[in-house]
């Protein structure tokens, strides 16, 4: 927060001066130097940030608001006296010095605003507890890549990490910060296969969570030798959910699309199928093990090479989730696939349009939420029309 005044008072005026004077007095060079200094200052503190999850932030807000109200009462309490003209002419400046007075109107307004904040935070936290789903499935908005989260009771399984590149990766930019904001304990990292758009952030996740269990369908290890192989028939329970590997049939040295780790998640009432980038050839290996499902993670961003008619004939998913980058060069999802899904009465949702997609699983229903919706500001909807 201390860096904000420095940007506001020094950098912003300097950049405006450079814009209007076409870089007079070496203003662009000075601005660049300031940015370098500020960046160095921030990098010094980057290992000292305190990560506070949303639930803890609610509690902290409630406690600080309550303490502020008590402090106001202790500092400014006084005997009730008839108010004269002088009371309304007192300076309306705020101070916590015990020898300073505060106009009754300003005193009441400050206490009211603080109390309103405390009540709002308390109601928000209570509603979260009362409306808590049994578990949830998150498809993170990471552009052209895949990163899914299974979440239950503050524990999580991460299925794929999104892409990576030389300087960074989507795990560091989106996935890990989200886990920390939500206060989640990561139990498993499951990689569908070894393509960069699915496993590019694996090393970053393993570094941030060294105790996490690793499951994959190849001999790659990403620096972690203790791992579980995803192979047809492997089955385990996690937080009351039954998770079964349907494919691949054998482990390979390096897993490609056709070797994707395909998982069926079953809570006894609902079924979710995670397909990674499984192509039609791999789908034929596990279709016989399926019946009707509730949610399908559409394979390979909705490419024509996945989500066959045979798969949909067997599963009839109610909800189809697509993770894709907006305006991606491959034009995923392919219209043939989305039309095919609609023919089976599947509701299709795409992160390219809706942003992060959340599915909340209750005993008798599934609720959907998304980062963007018809009520989002116009600048959040420039990515395209929000589906009805």
């Amino acid at each position: 927060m201390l860096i904000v005044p420095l940007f506001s008072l020094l950098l912003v005026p300097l950049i405006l001066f450079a814009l209007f004077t076409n870089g007079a007095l070496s203003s662009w060079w000075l601005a660049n130097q300031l940015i370098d200094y500020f960046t160095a200052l921030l990098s010094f503190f980057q290992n000292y940030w305190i990560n506070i999850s949303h639930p803890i932030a609610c509690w902290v807000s409630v406690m600080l608001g309550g303490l502020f109200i008590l402090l106001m009462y202790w500092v400014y309490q006084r005997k009730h006296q008839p108010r004269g003209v002088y009371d309304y002419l007192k300076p309306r400046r705020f101070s916590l010095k015990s020898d300073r007075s505060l106009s009754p109107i300003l005193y009441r307004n400050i206490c009211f605003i603080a109390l309103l904040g405390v009540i709002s935070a308390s109601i928000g936290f209570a509603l979260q507890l009362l409306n808590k789903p049994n578990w949830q499935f998150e498809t993170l908005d990471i552009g052209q890549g895949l990163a899914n989260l299974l979440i239950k009771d503050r524990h999580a399984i991460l299925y794929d990490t999104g892409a990576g590149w030389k300087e960074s990766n989507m795990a560091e930019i989106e996935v890990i910060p989200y886990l920390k904001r939500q206060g989640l304990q990561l139990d498993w990292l499951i990689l569908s296969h070894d393509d960069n758009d699915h496993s590019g952030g694996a090393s970053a996740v393993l570094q941030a969570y060294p105790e996490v269990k690793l499951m994959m369908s190849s001999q790659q290890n990403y620096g972690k030798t203790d791992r579980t192989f995803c192979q047809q028939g492997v089955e385990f329970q996690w937080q009351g959910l039954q998770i079964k590997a349907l494919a691949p049939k054998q482990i390979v040295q390096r897993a490609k699309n056709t070797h994707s780790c395909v998982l069926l998640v079953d809570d006894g009432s609902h079924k979710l199928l995670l397909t990674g980038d499984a192509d039609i050839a791999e789908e034929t290996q596990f279709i016989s093990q399926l019946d009707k499902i509730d949610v399908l993670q559409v394979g390979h961003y909705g490419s024509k090479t996945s989500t066959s008619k045979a798969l949909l004939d067997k599963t009839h998913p109610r909800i189809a989730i697509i993770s894709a980058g907006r305006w991606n060069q491959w034009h995923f999802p392919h219209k043939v696939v989305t039309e095919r899904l609609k023919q089976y009465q599947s509701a299709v949702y795409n992160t390219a349009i809706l942003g992060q997609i959340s599915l909340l699983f209750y005993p008798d229903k599934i609720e959907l939420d998304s980062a963007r919706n018809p009520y989002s500001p116009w600048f959040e909807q420039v990515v395209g029309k929000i589906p009805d």
Side-chain angles (χ1 to χ4, degrees):
M1 294 300 291
L2 295 177
I3 206 71
V4 175
L6 295 177
F7 267 85
S8 302
L9 298 176
L10 297 177
L11 188 59
V12 173
L14 183 57
I15 290 176
L16 290 175
F17 176 82
L19 283 172
F20 287 117
T21 63
N22 197 24
L25 302 177
S26 302
S27 48
W28 282 123
W29 178 83
L30 288 172
N32 185 68
Q33 291 296 110
L34 277 177
I35 291 175
D36 287 342
Y37 291 143
F38 292 159
T39 303
L41 180 62
L42 288 174
S43 63
F44 176 78
F45 293 103
Q46 66 180 356
N47 295 322
Y48 300 96
W49 303 130
I50 299 175
N51 295 301
I52 299 179
S53 65
H54 285 170
I56 294 177
C58 285
W59 276 112
V60 171
S61 299
V62 170
M63 288 190 294
L64 291 178
L67 287 173
F68 179 77
I69 294 172
L70 290 175
L71 184 62
M72 286 288 296
Y73 178 78
W74 177 73
V75 171
Y76 291 108
Q77 66 172 330
R78 51 181 177 269
K79 295 179 180 180
H80 293 284
Q81 297 177 350
R83 291 184 306 194
V85 175
Y86 174 72
D87 292 309
Y88 294 97
L89 296 178
K90 289 178 181 177
R92 295 190 176 188
R93 287 177 294 175
F94 175 62
S95 171
L96 287 178
K97 294 182 178 179
S98 58
D99 59 340
R100 297 289 297 274
S101 59
L102 195 67
S103 73
I105 295 176
L106 183 57
Y107 176 79
R108 284 199 304 269
N109 289 344
I110 292 174
C111 290
F112 175 77
I113 293 172
L115 184 61
L116 188 63
V118 170
I119 293 174
S120 299
S122 301
I123 292 176
F125 189 72
L127 289 176
Q128 286 183 354
L129 293 178
L130 293 174
N131 198 36
K132 181 182 177 183
N134 286 355
W135 60 287
Q136 62 194 82
F137 176 63
E138 301 285 340
T139 302
L140 303 184
D141 183 15
I142 58 164
Q144 192 67 13
L146 184 66
N148 291 324
L149 281 169
L150 299 172
I151 301 172
K152 186 173 183 183
D153 296 332
R154 298 288 169 194
H155 289 257
I157 291 177
L158 176 61
Y159 181 83
D160 284 347
T161 67
W165 51 96
K166 184 177 180 180
E167 295 82 9
S168 187
N169 53 75
M170 292 306 299
E172 292 179 338
I173 294 173
E174 289 291 337
V175 180
I176 295 173
Y178 180 81
L179 290 169
K180 292 182 177 179
R181 284 197 307 271
Q182 300 300 318
L184 299 175
Q185 176 181 322
L186 187 62
D187 296 335
W188 283 88
L189 168 60
I190 302 177
L191 301 177
S192 65
H193 61 296
D194 296 312
D195 284 353
N196 177 64
D197 50 343
H198 292 256
S199 60
S203 297
V205 173
L206 293 173
Q207 184 177 359
Y209 299 91
E211 302 301 319
V212 72
K213 298 175 184 177
L214 176 63
M215 186 178 192
M216 52 197 308
S217 57
S218 76
Q219 296 287 350
Q220 306 294 314
N221 59 32
Y222 298 93
K224 188 179 180 71
T225 55
D226 180 19
R227 61 195 187 280
T228 301
F229 290 117
C230 177
Q231 193 170 3
Q232 190 177 90
V234 173
E235 195 168 352
F236 65 97
Q237 279 200 341
W238 174 80
Q239 297 292 318
L241 301 178
Q242 192 70 20
I243 301 176
K244 181 179 181 181
L246 306 182
K249 288 186 175 181
Q250 59 183 2
I251 303 302
V252 295
Q253 185 63 35
R254 187 186 185 283
K256 299 181 180 180
N257 290 357
T258 195
H259 310 115
S260 288
C261 174
V262 178
L263 299 176
L264 181 65
V265 182
D266 189 350
D267 69 356
S269 301
H270 307 101
K271 293 181 179 180
L272 161 68
L273 183 63
L274 300 174
T275 64
D277 274 356
D279 57 14
I280 293 175
E282 188 178 20
E283 289 176 4
T284 60
Q285 300 177 23
F286 60 81
I287 285 177
S288 60
Q289 305 176 62
L290 291 169
D291 51 18
K292 192 177 185 305
I293 64 174
D294 298 280
V295 181
L296 170 66
Q297 175 257 307
V298 178
H300 203 199
Y301 316 111
S303 163
K304 289 189 294 184
T305 60
S306 302
T307 318
S308 63
K309 185 177 183 299
L311 177 65
L312 298 182
D313 275 336
K314 199 71 183 291
T315 58
H316 287 268
R318 293 164 47 198
I319 299 171
I321 303 295
I322 298 174
S323 176
R326 187 60 171 164
W327 302 302
N328 64 81
Q329 59 182 319
W330 302 277
H331 306 290
F332 293 151
H334 200 280
K335 188 174 181 180
V336 170
V337 175
T338 55
E339 290 299 324
R340 184 184 299 153
L341 286 164
K342 291 177 182 178
Q343 288 173 9
Y344 285 85
Q345 284 77 52
S346 298
V348 181
Y349 301 98
N350 187 354
T351 58
I353 302 296
L354 296 172
Q356 181 172 330
I357 298 173
S358 307
L359 293 180
L360 311 178
F361 290 81
Y362 297 89
D364 57 347
K365 63 179 180 178
I366 301 174
E367 291 185 358
L368 184 140
D369 193 15
S370 62
R372 290 189 289 271
N373 56 62
Y375 304 102
S376 298
W378 65 268
F379 52 83
E380 291 186 7
Q381 299 190 40
V382 295
V383 294
K385 182 181 183 297
I386 304 297
D388 295 329

